[in-house]
Amino acid sequence: MIDASFATIFGREAAVTAAAPGRVNLIGEHTDYNGGLVLPLALPLEVRVAIAPRPDATVRAWSANVPEDEARAELTLGAERRTGGWIDYVQAVTSTLAGDGHVMSGFDLAIASDVPLGSGLASSAALLVAVLRGLRSAFMLALTDREIATAAHRAETEFVGAPVGVMDQLVASLGREGTALLIDTRTLDVADVPMPSGVELAVIDSGLRHQHATGDYRVRRDECMRAAARLAVPYLCALGRRDLPRLATLPAPLSGRARHVVTEHLRVAEAAEAMRAGDVETLGRLWLASHASERDDFEVSLPAIDTLVDLAAADAAVLGARLTGGGFGGSVILLCRAGEAAEAAIRVQRAYQTKTGHAGRVLLPGETERQRR
Ligand code: ADP
Ligand code: MG
């Protein structure tokens, strides 16, 4: 598919293709920049790229997933400049690789993705990792999967200027479908946590959009750093349950911010344990507690998203639900009884539409999973 698009756009054959998945974070929100645990899962949705090297230093790129008048973009290796457009993600990769001493020529690049852009499923990290994988094989670059993750992270934070943690890039590079990745964001140690049997995931896009690179996300990060400084710890997740009374002595909103981060970190460990034990009821309860904490303590939810989570939680097929991703919009994940996710997601999405007037969209189970049955 992506080879065919490449041939149509550039009038020649692609030399290599590569892909990387989007993700949902099962639990562990805003713990990633506080030295805590996160538990993302690679999705059966992915960004695919096709690449062919060029003899010059020009990069011509095309994406199937942006408005047609923005679909084509160009850059020159060595002259990368941030533009504010999607091409920045490609420039971020080439300039980061050059900075690390990797040698390559220009190339033509086609991109097609079924990870929705800006819905909290980490399309940006999937794009960066897919491009890095494609360039690794096109130019035989010496890069491990872990180095791809950290290069993608530096590309996104330093070049694109999005102050994101390393979770998205790690799971895009190291994640496998059906197995969650428990990541200690302080040490970058990872462990596999298989999805328990008897449950199936659904994802509903609220239709409300976040803006990572700006405003509120930065404010939250800053509040966490201030809370940690006041508590005289290097990062908030160094604190545990017995420190909770101390957090309450912080001024608002820092007390709530710190309480969310510390309790969320504990919930991730409990969730991983519940998944390993196959205790899906506990997992569902932890998701609901996580959402309440995002809503009340960290204040990254929105009233319509709270409605979406409440509607999901009231559905008989749903064991738990929560806002996933950075917040201020984005997607909600539903832990459903196996075999019931597709129907439950449609029921909940319709109820959400009726109640809030926002369309919402079922992202998972997607077309492919629905057809697979
Ligand atoms: P998320 O990662 O949650 O989807 P971000 O705001 O971090 O949201 O990243 C979305 C941005 O990534 C898009 O606005 C676009 O610039 C870029 N992007 C992601 N996927 C693609 C794609 N397939 N084609 C072009 N740009 C993409
Ligand atoms: Mg992103």
Side-chain angles (χ1 to χ4, degrees):
M1 269 286 282
I2 186 67
D3 324 45
S5 307
F6 185 97
T8 310
I9 301 297
F10 296 110
R12 62 185 181 125
E13 294 297 304
V16 301
T17 61
R23 62 96 186 98
V24 285
N25 190 21
L26 297 182
I27 193 162
E29 226 61 79
H30 294 271
T31 46
D32 61 340
Y33 52 84
N34 286 298
L37 296 169
V38 292
L39 190 60
L41 173 76
L43 293 175
L45 306 173
E46 57 182 19
V47 176
R48 290 171 301 280
V49 300
I51 293 175
R54 297 168 54 89
D56 55 19
T58 300
V59 175
R60 294 191 300 175
W62 170 87
S63 169
N65 309 109
V66 298
E68 215 169 303
D69 59 340
E70 297 166 27
R72 285 170 184 272
E74 253 186 54
L75 68 104
T76 306
L77 297 182
E80 291 91 345
R81 295 280 177 281
R82 198 197 303 187
T83 66
W86 68 268
I87 193 65
D88 286 1
Y89 291 87
V90 181
Q91 304 202 67
V93 167
T94 55
S95 102
T96 301
L97 286 176
D100 290 350
H102 294 286
V103 179
M104 49 191 203
S105 67
F107 53 91
D108 292 336
L109 163 70
I111 302 162
S113 169
D114 46 25
V115 187
L117 281 61
S119 291
L121 303 191
S123 70
S124 60
L127 174 59
L128 292 162
V129 169
V131 171
L132 279 157
R133 282 180 173 166
L135 294 176
R136 172 171 66 185
S137 41
F139 297 104
M140 290 185 288
L141 306 179
L143 284 167
T144 64
D145 289 343
R146 198 174 262 276
E147 285 165 347
I148 282 193
T150 53
H153 180 241
R154 279 184 287 126
E156 189 154 5
T157 52
E158 290 167 19
F159 190 95
V160 179
V164 294
V166 71
M167 162 175 73
D168 296 355
Q169 297 81 14
L170 270 176
V171 66
S173 186
L174 304 179
R176 284 181 290 120
E177 195 187 323
T179 302
L181 206 60
L182 179 64
I183 304 172
D184 182 329
T185 59
R186 195 175 54 82
T187 59
L188 297 193
D189 285 343
V190 299
D192 283 347
V193 183
M195 278 301 282
S197 56
V199 287
E200 196 186 346
L201 198 67
V203 182
I204 302 177
D205 181 355
S206 68
L208 306 166
R209 287 286 167 272
H210 69 88
Q211 255 309 330
H212 249 336
T214 54
D216 296 330
Y217 185 86
R218 279 180 204 276
V219 172
R220 289 298 177 279
R221 277 187 82 122
D222 183 58
E223 288 166 345
C224 290
M225 300 313 137
R226 277 161 47 212
R230 275 174 174 262
L231 294 161
V233 287
Y235 50 94
L236 284 177
C237 293
L239 300 168
R241 203 176 299 282
R242 64 170 187 280
D243 300 300
L244 290 176
R246 259 178 83 205
L247 305 185
T249 66
L250 289 171
L254 300 190
S255 51
R257 307 297 187 249
R259 186 166 54 232
H260 165 76
V261 170
V262 172
T263 59
E264 184 76 353
H265 175 65
L266 298 170
R267 279 187 293 271
V268 181
E270 289 171 45
E273 208 173 296
M275 284 172 69
R276 287 179 171 137
D279 183 355
V280 294
E281 306 281 339
T282 296
L283 183 61
R285 275 196 297 277
L286 288 164
W287 283 18
L288 291 170
S290 168
H291 184 78
S293 179
E294 291 181 279
R295 180 189 63 209
D296 301 334
D297 281 344
F298 216 64
E299 296 183 272
V300 289
S301 189
L302 298 169
I305 289 182
D306 298 335
T307 302
L308 179 51
V309 169
D310 291 344
L311 289 166
D315 192 286
V318 177
L319 296 160
R322 54 178 291 275
L323 168 64
T324 186
F328 311 107
S331 297
V332 165
I333 52 173
L334 284 63
L335 187 68
C336 304
R337 296 187 196 284
E340 300 184 43
E343 292 75 14
I346 291 167
R347 274 198 302 274
V348 172
Q349 181 259 325
R350 288 196 179 137
Y352 168 72
Q353 188 164 10
T354 307
K355 197 148 184 185
T356 66
H358 299 295
R361 191 157 66 105
V362 177
L363 303 179
L364 200 82
E367 295 293 332
T368 352
E369 293 75 50
R370 285 200 290 264
Q371 278 160 15
R372 249 185 236 163
R373 290 154 186 276

